[in-house]
Amino acid sequence: MAGDKQADGGQADGTVGKALDVLDMVARHGQPVRFSELLDTAPYPKATLYRFLQTLTNQGMLSYDSDRGTYTMGMRLVRLAHAAWAQSSLAPIARPFITDLARHTGETVHLAQMDQGQVLYVDKCNAAKPVEMFSQAGKVGPAYCTGVGKAMLAFMSDSAVEAALLRQSFHRFTEQTLDTPDRLRAELAAIHARGYAFDREEHEPGIICCAAPILTRAGRVLGALSVTSTTARTSLEALEAEAGQVMACAARIAAEAENWRFPEQG
């Protein structure tokens, strides 16, 4: 068994890095997972994987159901996630503003930040009549084909943009997806010039949005927000009519957040 697995998983961060890798493995399943299922894809020998699972369970990072023989994310992670949300997320500051924007527009409002070149949705206020879509608070999405992702990329430094582009898959989700770096760069230039971005059904068929970056006075990207709807309910032209409200909301959030310290977006 050990011969078929990498003893160190190719990790450069030692034991902590390996433990976090195991947490990621459990999280990616999205449901209770058995040891045998983890072992099938783990880069660790059986004994090593078991030792990490035991340690993480003992520390409350994972929860083990002995009746079903399955692992799930532990409550200690929930507490840590809540602390991170409160300390480094825009969500607590932005919540009253995006709630007000959702009420005024009647559409869903998303709040997002950039995490390692990808979009992390940190909050969401549903429309009066919500529709099913990919984005939910806590989910990670692609930056190159989402309104919030493009809004942030358009206002990041050249070096940060290039680093983020290396992390994009450029998978073509729909016929509208910008599937090359050059097409995306041209779009980012247009977004920077007008101050807001669109999602033209680039990530999900039928889902459209108008998004704006949340910027400090110095121009640093803190995040982005979007007003999102469906082609069955409205049009891009109608959403663009809300661009002024979206940018004004972003400016209010930025002003409120100016005295907070947030991690650099990238």
Side-chain angles (χ1 to χ4, degrees), residues 1 12 26 39 52 61 72 123 139-140 181 194 261:
M1 180 72 67
V26 176
L39 188 61
F52 279 126
M61 307 297 276
T72 55
D123 207 354
K139 276 196 171 184
V140 175
R194 67 172 173 259
R261 293 182 64 85

Side-chain angles (χ1 to χ4, degrees), residues 159-187:
S159 60
V161 170
E162 292 308 311
L165 292 186
L166 294 175
R167 296 176 179 271
Q168 308 307 308
S169 68
F170 290 103
H171 169 75
R172 195 171 188 185
F173 289 96
T174 74
E175 291 184 357
Q176 307 302 320
T177 304
L178 301 175
D179 55 1
T180 69
D182 286 344
R183 291 182 67 194
L184 178 61
R185 288 189 187 96
E187 172 79 351

Side-chain angles (χ1 to χ4, degrees), residues 38-97:
L38 294 169
L39 188 61
D40 285 341
T41 57
Y44 310 112
K46 182 176 182 179
T48 301
L49 177 62
Y50 182 77
R51 184 172 70 252
F52 279 126
L53 290 169
Q54 287 294 101
T55 299
L56 290 167
T57 300
N58 291 341
Q59 293 297 317
M61 307 297 276
L62 291 177
S63 177
Y64 180 68
D65 185 330
S66 57
D67 292 333
R68 296 179 174 83
T70 57
Y71 293 90
T72 55
M73 308 306 282
M75 290 305 297
R76 186 175 181 182
L77 277 178
V78 175
R79 293 193 295 271
L80 290 172
H82 179 76
W85 182 86
Q87 294 175 27
S88 62
S89 164
L90 276 173
I93 296 171
R95 170 52 81 145
F97 300 104

Side-chain angles (χ1 to χ4, degrees), residues 35-249:
F35 178 80
S36 58
E37 296 174 285
L38 294 169
L39 188 61
D40 285 341
T41 57
Y44 310 112
K46 182 176 182 179
T48 301
L49 177 62
Y50 182 77
R51 184 172 70 252
F52 279 126
L53 290 169
Q54 287 294 101
T55 299
L56 290 167
T57 300
N58 291 341
Q59 293 297 317
M61 307 297 276
L62 291 177
S63 177
Y64 180 68
D65 185 330
S66 57
D67 292 333
R68 296 179 174 83
T70 57
Y71 293 90
T72 55
M73 308 306 282
M75 290 305 297
R76 186 175 181 182
L77 277 178
V78 175
R79 293 193 295 271
L80 290 172
H82 179 76
W85 182 86
Q87 294 175 27
S88 62
S89 164
L90 276 173
I93 296 171
R95 170 52 81 145
F97 300 104
I98 65 172
T99 299
D100 187 60
L101 183 61
R103 184 170 59 251
H104 276 84
T105 62
E107 302 291 357
T108 297
V109 176
H110 293 112
L111 179 70
Q113 293 177 261
M114 194 72 80
D115 182 21
Q116 300 297 310
Q118 303 299 314
V119 168
L120 174 64
Y121 292 96
V122 295
D123 207 354
K124 176 179 180 178
C125 286
N126 279 319
K129 295 181 179 178
V131 294
E132 194 67 32
M133 62 185 78
F134 167 85
S135 51
Q136 299 289 341
K139 276 196 171 184
V140 175
Y144 68 98
C145 60
T146 54
V148 286
K150 292 187 296 178
M152 288 186 279
L153 287 172
F155 288 85
M156 288 163 54
S157 68
D158 291 344
S159 60
V161 170
E162 292 308 311
L165 292 186
L166 294 175
R167 296 176 179 271
Q168 308 307 308
S169 68
F170 290 103
H171 169 75
R172 195 171 188 185
F173 289 96
T174 74
E175 291 184 357
Q176 307 302 320
T177 304
L178 301 175
D179 55 1
T180 69
D182 286 344
R183 291 182 67 194
L184 178 61
R185 288 189 187 96
E187 172 79 351
L188 296 181
I191 292 167
H192 193 276
R194 67 172 173 259
Y196 54 91
F198 294 114
D199 180 343
R200 304 177 180 88
E201 300 183 76
E202 296 161 51
H203 188 212
E204 297 179 87
I207 302 298
I208 54 178
C209 87
C210 180
I214 300 170
L215 307 171
T216 66
R217 285 191 294 269
R220 184 164 69 91
V221 176
L222 294 178
L225 61 89
S226 67
V227 170
T228 304
S229 190
T230 69
T231 53
R233 188 153 72 188
T234 188
S235 65
L236 276 173
E237 291 74 20
L239 286 183
E240 186 169 18
E242 309 287 359
Q245 286 196 67
V246 178
M247 291 190 291
C249 183

